[in-house]
Amino acid sequence: MLAIIAITLVLGAVVGFLAGLLGIGGGLIVVPVLLMLLPGFDIVAPEQAIVVAIATSLASIIFTATSSVLAHHRWGNVPWATATAIMVGAAAGAWLVAYLAHYISPGVLQMLFGIAVLILALRMLGSRSAIGKKQLPGASYLAIISAGLGGVASLLGIGGGALFVPMLNYYSVDMRRAIGCAAASGIAIAAFGSLGYVIAGWQHYQLAQGFIGYIYLPALLGIVCTSAFTAPLGAKLTQRLPVLTIKRVFGILLLLIAAKMILS
């Protein structure tokens, strides 16, 4: 258990910084790492590792996304009128899908994760402009779109930034404000998604084993202890980097993760 906490302390520092910089919540990094760690330390069986990794990742995003949002709010990067509609829709989609996720085959779940991230990586790398040209839809329609994206994010254990940043860019929201909105959506996705995974996994794992539902608490502790401190550093850096540079970094990161998940 101490080894897991030590490793996840380092992991938390990395994902916290990326959460602030890119608004991704850290799940794109946390899930693949936990997918290797959990069976490697005989904490869960390999066939259960993907669900536990996703649930633990979502729980950690509650903290990293909150820290990231607070930092982005201070920089004026969170348009709350837009973010509120996104959070309502994302919360509804995240809870429903998280509650049903354990019925999906682990192999299928991992493949879905890899394919979704690959598509997002190619989109970000192929982008030639900082923002799109479409007008942002009304609050009701935006909430419906967010429910679908929130469900996918909950299924994959990611904060939503990988989905919401490209979507908001498409609707003419500039990169920094899109990252701020994505971080806000991550709070809703993580909170309601985690609740779904706790309810679904309550009968499979016990608190005495270090679990609450499907969430593995020692790994969660390690991640959140450091991520909350590094997220503001990443958020500050978004003020200094060119927008297209951020998008390229984002795309390369996603491409590497997708390759790992699909080929694993």
Side-chain angles (χ1 to χ4, degrees):
M1 184 179 294
L2 290 177
I4 284 286
I5 293 176
I7 293 170
T8 52
L9 282 170
V10 177
L11 177 62
V14 174
V15 300
F17 179 78
L18 292 174
L21 178 64
L22 301 173
I24 62 174
L28 290 168
I29 306 296
V30 171
V31 172
V33 172
L34 291 184
L35 191 56
M36 294 185 291
L37 286 180
L38 294 172
F41 283 91
D42 294 321
I43 295 167
V44 298
E47 60 271 17
Q48 287 293 318
I50 185 67
V51 178
V52 174
I54 288 172
T56 305
S57 171
L58 277 178
S60 73
I61 290 168
I62 296 174
F63 300 91
T64 57
T66 299
S67 179
S68 179
V69 166
L70 290 174
H72 279 290
H73 175 71
R74 287 194 293 270
W75 288 103
N77 289 339
V78 186
W80 285 107
T82 300
T84 300
I86 289 173
M87 292 176 75
V88 170
W95 182 86
L96 179 62
V97 172
Y99 181 70
L100 300 174
H102 67 292
Y103 292 109
I104 301 174
S105 164
V108 171
L109 197 55
Q110 182 169 329
M111 184 59 68
L112 287 173
F113 185 100
I115 292 172
V117 175
L118 176 61
I119 292 170
L120 291 165
L122 294 175
R123 166 139 180 85
M124 296 300 282
L125 288 172
S127 176
R128 296 184 179 181
S129 62
I131 60 174
K133 297 180 180 178
K134 295 284 187 178
Q135 185 176 357
L136 192 69
S140 298
Y141 186 62
L142 189 59
I144 292 171
I145 296 174
S146 299
L149 295 180
V152 173
S154 178
L155 182 66
L156 301 178
I158 60 179
L163 303 173
F164 283 92
V165 170
M167 183 271 285
L168 289 168
N169 276 172
Y170 177 76
Y171 283 120
S172 306
V173 178
D174 73 79
M175 189 65 175
R176 293 180 180 88
R177 290 166 70 85
I179 290 173
C181 276
S185 77
I187 298 175
I189 292 167
F192 285 85
S194 295
L195 178 61
Y197 280 108
V198 167
I199 295 171
W202 196 261
Q203 60 184 340
H204 298 285
Y205 294 100
Q206 305 298 319
L207 186 61
Q209 299 172 291
F211 287 85
I212 177 168
Y214 281 119
I215 299 169
Y216 185 54
L217 296 176
L220 174 64
L221 176 64
I223 293 168
V224 302
C225 278
T226 51
S227 61
F229 296 101
T230 55
L233 299 178
K236 186 175 181 178
L237 191 57
T238 62
Q239 303 300 119
R240 301 180 180 180
L241 286 178
V243 170
L244 285 178
T245 298
I246 298 175
K247 296 187 80 169
R248 297 293 185 263
V249 171
F250 197 9
I252 291 170
L253 175 67
L254 296 183
L255 193 61
L256 293 173
I257 293 169
K260 171 64 179 176
M261 297 298 290
I262 292 172
L263 298 175
S264 173

